[in-house]
Amino acid sequence: MSAAAALILTALLLTFPGFWLNGSWFHPDVLMTTLLIIAVYYFCKDLFAFKRNYWLGVLFFSEAIAIKLQAFTFLPLLLLILFHEEVTLFSFARFGANLWRAVKTGALLIGVFLLNNPFLLHPKGLRSFAGMFAENMQSNSTNHFSKVPVTITDKIHLALHDYYLVAPMLALLMR
């Protein structure tokens, strides 16, 4: 391997979010939750206009999924935003436009996920990901297969209460 190739591979590694965000800053749940909250902020700011703020929300939602696949469980929220007229008003006048927007949103979600996880483009990386994904889907435990159930209430409590309320308050008190 030439020096230039080694430098390029090292620079590529330094651009992976898993190298910086998940490995050295803080737990990926915190970053995922932060990105989800920012996405919801932009969705709320958009007020169903589906303009720039909607796409910023989709971008932050995509990054949350790329950082931690668990954020995918919030996809129904995105679908409710996309099809809010159909769900709340039972109006199907803009269903075609909303469906096309959903396809573009899905393409953006997949594109950002692949850009942040390029190992999925290789058959070995895809097999490894699929195997770990299947194991994780079979487990709803804090320490995979330890049989300690984690409810949705526990997850919300840990993400919002412990990470966003208690930890900052303790940091302020310890100054």
Side-chain angles (χ1 to χ4, degrees):
M1 177 183 294
S2 70
L7 185 62
I8 290 171
L9 286 175
T10 304
L12 183 64
L13 174 66
L14 292 175
T15 64
F16 288 175
F19 182 80
W20 292 102
L21 303 176
N22 299 345
S24 60
W25 285 2
F26 44 79
H27 199 272
D29 285 343
V30 178
L31 183 58
M32 176 199 71
T33 307
T34 303
L35 291 170
L36 286 172
I37 290 171
I38 294 169
V40 168
Y41 167 77
Y42 280 114
F43 290 142
C44 291
K45 192 173 176 182
D46 186 61
L47 293 175
F48 305 107
F50 301 110
K51 303 250 186 221
R52 181 176 182 266
N53 287 323
Y54 170 77
W55 293 109
L56 283 171
V58 171
L59 185 64
F60 279 103
F61 183 74
S62 302
E63 279 298 322
I65 292 174
I67 296 299
K68 186 154 182 172
L69 195 60
Q70 180 183 354
F72 193 72
T73 58
F74 291 91
L75 187 62
L77 171 70
L78 187 56
L79 292 174
L80 284 173
I81 291 168
L82 276 167
F83 297 106
H84 84 282
E85 286 181 6
E86 290 80 2
V87 173
T88 59
L89 304 173
F90 298 108
S91 171
F92 293 90
R94 295 186 351 169
F95 180 73
N98 290 340
L99 189 61
W100 179 240
R101 191 176 297 111
V103 169
K104 291 192 293 189
T105 298
L108 182 61
L109 289 172
I110 292 168
V112 170
F113 188 78
L114 288 175
L115 281 173
N116 282 285
N117 300 290
F119 62 88
L120 293 172
L121 299 175
H122 191 277
K124 286 183 181 180
L126 185 59
R127 269 195 308 273
S128 175
F129 174 79
M132 289 302 295
F133 182 77
E135 281 183 34
N136 285 333
M137 289 299 106
Q138 294 172 358
S139 171
N140 186 26
S141 305
T142 55
N143 189 11
H144 301 282
F145 301 106
S146 69
K147 307 299 180 210
V148 177
V150 179
T151 65
I152 194 76
T153 307
D154 292 338
K155 291 177 182 179
I156 291 170
H157 174 77
L158 286 172
L160 295 176
H161 181 266
D162 288 357
Y163 294 144
Y164 287 100
L165 298 176
V166 174
M169 293 305 280
L170 286 175
L172 285 174
L173 291 174
M174 296 178 94
R175 278 187 170 187

